[in-house]
Amino acid sequence: EVQLVESGGGSVQPGGSLRLSCTASGFTFDDSDIGWFRGAPGNGCRLVSISMSDGSTYYSDSVKGRFTISRDDTETTLYLQMNALKPEDTGVYHCARACPPPGASFLGQGTQVTVAS
């Protein structure tokens, strides 16, 4: 059974930092592309950043230069270091291999990030 457990969210002021973690099990982590997503499954889902199995990474334009994605294949854990946080970064962050289709759900519960003064 595939399991993804996110943690590390919280409430910070603008300019603050957070480090998200996602512990994975039930699939071959080191062979998988896996990333961080925000928003509702389906059309509302937005890719924040993804770590590819070949070592490459991708960032959405809105987080480029502020967020850093990394992975520990030995610990089957994905990380997202979030710096210089802005109010528009607020949301529930999920780790996943892809956005779920409409009507489906993310496997994990997600972790809430709130950026406010």
Side-chain angles (χ1 to χ4, degrees):
E1 179 187 4
V2 175
Q3 289 190 324
L4 297 164
V5 180
E6 303 96 337
S7 62
S11 296
V12 298
Q13 293 187 338
S17 297
L18 287 170
R19 189 191 194 208
L20 307 185
S21 299
C22 170
T23 302
S25 61
F27 63 99
T28 307
F29 186 84
D30 55 0
D31 283 346
S32 298
D33 305 333
I34 186 167
W36 291 96
F37 298 81
R38 280 177 52 192
N43 293 335
C45 184
R46 295 290 180 265
L47 173 65
V48 175
S49 179
I50 191 165
S51 172
M52 312 298 281
S53 60
D54 66 1
S56 60
T57 58
Y58 166 85
Y59 299 91
S60 67
D61 287 343
S62 63
V63 307
K64 202 172 295 182
R66 300 187 296 122
F67 291 8
T68 303
I69 193 169
S70 61
R71 62 194 292 164
D72 184 332
D73 288 345
T74 301
E75 298 294 329
T76 65
T77 300
L78 181 73
Y79 301 100
L80 186 68
Q81 178 65 44
M82 311 168 77
N83 297 331
L85 281 160
K86 303 177 181 180
E88 51 264 42
D89 296 321
T90 294
V92 179
Y93 286 71
H94 295 266
C95 67
R97 288 183 282 187
C99 279
S105 301
F106 285 102
L107 290 178
Q109 80 287 353
T111 187
Q112 174 73 46
V113 171
T114 302
V115 185
S117 299

